Amino acid sequence: TDFKNILDLFFEVALHPRFDPSRFDLEKKNALESIRRRDDDAAGIARRKFANIVYRPHPEGNETTMETIGSISRDNLINSHRKRFQPDGSQLLVVGDVDLKTLESMLSPYLAQWKPTGRKLVDPPKVTREFKAERYFVQKSVPQVKIRIGHKSIKLSNPDLFPLMVMDRILGGGGFNSRLMKRIRTELGLAYSVYSWIGADVFYSTIGVDCGTKTEGSVQSLREILSAIKKIQDQPVSNEELELARNTIVNQFVFKFATRHQVASRILFFEQAGLPDDFMETYLKAIEAVTVKDVQRVAREYFKSDGLKILLVGDFAKVRAEIEKEFGSFKEIKLPDYGSGSGKAGKSASLSR
């Protein structure tokens, strides 16, 4: 059957990968070229450098460099697979029209080849939830400035995830119905794109606001973003905003499980995050139970106004004097110079201290 053929291929690749030398060389070349070109995109720079600012020195904030990719050999992949790809503690999830007894019978011959090693994989270092206000910029001669503001947020297991989702929807995660979009784009015409986000993961994720604005509008955009955060902390949201946000989240719930891949991915992720078995059953009820007071409470608790990280990517030199006069000094993050078409590894970017 097709399923049997797929299992043959799946376990052949999973348990006995060839790491074909020609494919390895091609993928490595493509990865190096991607690194060489990635700083062409201001939005990409903002995402990577913001993660570095928020998480350093934790590896969650690391980014690949010409050196790290350039030093990888095919033997590294083979040894890493042999050392880390083991059945101990692994999870296998199958979603589809198959019963457990039949599935176990079909999987048994494959899994018998996969012998436990008895080795315990080293847990990644813990992420500390600390807050310190910092301001950085990346000088890049482009027409727009990319603004990114925020800090660490919560783990997925935090019960305040649900009021935070509603709060985020009202602040900036709700598209044209959100406060940030209405104010900064529609009313002031400062930005084409502005949104907030709330992340939740096995580790502490991030919470923040992202905005792309014309260079001369960066000061006012930054001012408006900080004002919007303060307003949702200081003043209760309206019942109309609350109702719209809750209804939107509930109505979009079904699309999180539109494909079998989405179902499998989410179930595995929830298992790894240590969530209760009934997490998805209680999800909608938890959203519908969020109140106006809950929204204001989590905005105050999880947006640390005195611990915000601020990053600007763009032609900062044109607006530096005005920005620093209002918001304080900014430190520069210098980008590496890989040269044009050079295959040599360049120096990795670092934060100015």
Side-chain angles (χ1 to χ4, degrees):
T1 65
D2 289 342
F3 188 37
K4 174 65 167 60
N5 292 335
I6 289 173
L7 287 177
D8 287 341
L9 291 172
F10 178 85
F11 281 100
E12 176 66 24
V13 172
L15 303 184
H16 310 290
R18 289 185 301 159
F19 295 116
D20 181 82
S22 62
R23 289 298 301 272
F24 169 77
D25 290 341
L26 177 62
E27 292 301 324
K28 183 173 178 178
K29 179 181 178 181
N30 289 341
L32 290 170
E33 184 62 23
S34 177
I35 291 172
R36 190 176 294 113
R37 295 178 179 274
R38 68 186 178 190
D39 289 341
D40 294 343
D41 176 33
I45 295 171
R47 287 191 298 271
R48 293 195 316 276
K49 298 307 179 185
F50 184 77
N52 183 260
I53 292 168
V54 170
Y55 285 108
R56 71 176 194 277
H58 192 276
E60 187 76 3
N62 288 353
E63 58 181 312
T64 54
T65 65
M66 299 291 277
E67 289 89 352
T68 56
I69 296 299
S71 66
I72 295 175
S73 68
R74 178 173 174 268
D75 286 341
N76 291 144
L77 271 62
I78 294 171
N79 293 332
S80 180
H81 179 272
R82 184 182 300 121
K83 179 181 178 181
R84 298 178 181 277
F85 197 81
Q86 60 185 40
D88 313 54
S90 296
Q91 296 168 313
L92 177 64
L93 180 65
V94 178
V95 176
D97 186 14
V98 61
D99 63 87
L100 181 58
K101 185 175 181 180
T102 301
L103 184 60
E104 288 178 335
S105 175
M106 296 182 73
L107 291 176
S108 181
Y110 302 102
L111 296 178
Q113 308 172 40
W114 202 16
K115 305 296 183 183
T117 66
R119 293 193 300 266
K120 183 179 180 182
L121 296 179
V122 178
D123 291 331
K126 293 183 178 180
V127 176
T128 57
R129 194 165 176 265
E130 299 173 349
F131 302 96
K132 178 185 177 183
E134 296 178 294
R135 295 174 295 275
Y136 292 94
F137 74 92
V138 175
Q139 175 62 34
K140 188 171 180 63
S141 297
V142 290
Q144 283 200 333
V145 169
K146 195 68 175 176
I147 301 173
R148 209 160 174 86
I149 299 175
H151 49 56
K152 292 190 186 80
S153 61
I154 62 171
K155 294 183 179 180
L156 191 62
S157 55
N158 191 322
D160 278 337
L161 169 65
F162 305 105
L164 277 166
M165 290 173 63
V166 176
M167 184 276 295
D168 172 66
R169 180 70 53 173
I170 296 170
L171 176 63
F176 285 98
N177 291 316
S178 70
R179 291 181 172 186
L180 286 171
M181 185 67 86
K182 287 179 178 178
R183 177 62 178 165
I184 295 178
R185 174 174 167 157
T186 306
E187 294 179 14
L188 299 177
L190 291 171
Y192 179 79
S193 171
V194 58
Y195 64 89
S196 65
W197 78 87
I198 171 64
D201 209 328
V202 178
F203 296 118
Y204 290 114
S205 189
T206 57
I207 183 174
V209 174
D210 184 285
C211 177
T213 182
K214 51 192 176 183
T215 303
E216 58 271 24
S218 54
V219 175
Q220 188 177 2
S221 295
L222 185 53
R223 186 187 303 132
E224 291 292 339
I225 292 169
L226 295 174
S227 175
I229 293 173
K230 188 174 188 305
K231 181 179 178 180
I232 204 167
Q233 292 175 321
D234 294 346
Q235 302 174 24
V237 299
S238 69
N239 289 323
E240 291 75 17
E241 287 177 308
L242 177 70
E243 190 69 16
L244 178 60
R246 291 189 308 196
N247 288 342
T248 302
I249 295 171
V250 169
N251 292 335
Q252 291 179 347
F253 176 79
V254 65
F255 297 107
K256 296 179 182 292
F257 300 90
T259 67
R260 290 177 180 178
H261 174 73
Q262 287 178 317
V263 172
S265 298
R266 290 189 184 280
I267 291 175
L268 270 181
F269 179 62
F270 294 155
E271 178 72 20
Q272 293 165 354
L275 298 177
D277 293 339
D278 64 347
F279 177 76
M280 296 317 297
E281 284 74 20
T282 60
Y283 180 100
L284 296 180
K285 292 180 180 178
I287 292 294
E288 291 169 342
V290 174
T291 67
V292 168
K293 288 184 178 181
D294 290 331
V295 170
Q296 186 174 16
R297 174 181 62 81
V298 296
R300 288 174 172 174
E301 183 172 350
Y302 294 101
F303 256 128
K304 306 293 185 182
S305 299
D306 58 351
L308 289 172
K309 315 286 187 185
I310 301 177
L311 172 65
L312 274 67
V313 179
D315 202 350
F316 189 77
K318 288 186 176 180
V319 291
R320 182 168 192 169
E322 188 180 1
I323 283 182
E324 292 193 329
K325 180 180 180 181
E326 182 164 345
F327 301 105
S329 62
F330 281 65
K331 298 178 183 178
E332 182 175 8
I333 300 173
K334 293 184 178 294
L335 297 176
D337 180 9
Y338 296 128
S340 59
S342 172
K344 297 179 181 180
K347 294 183 179 180
S348 58
S350 61
L351 292 172
S352 300
R353 299 288 180 175

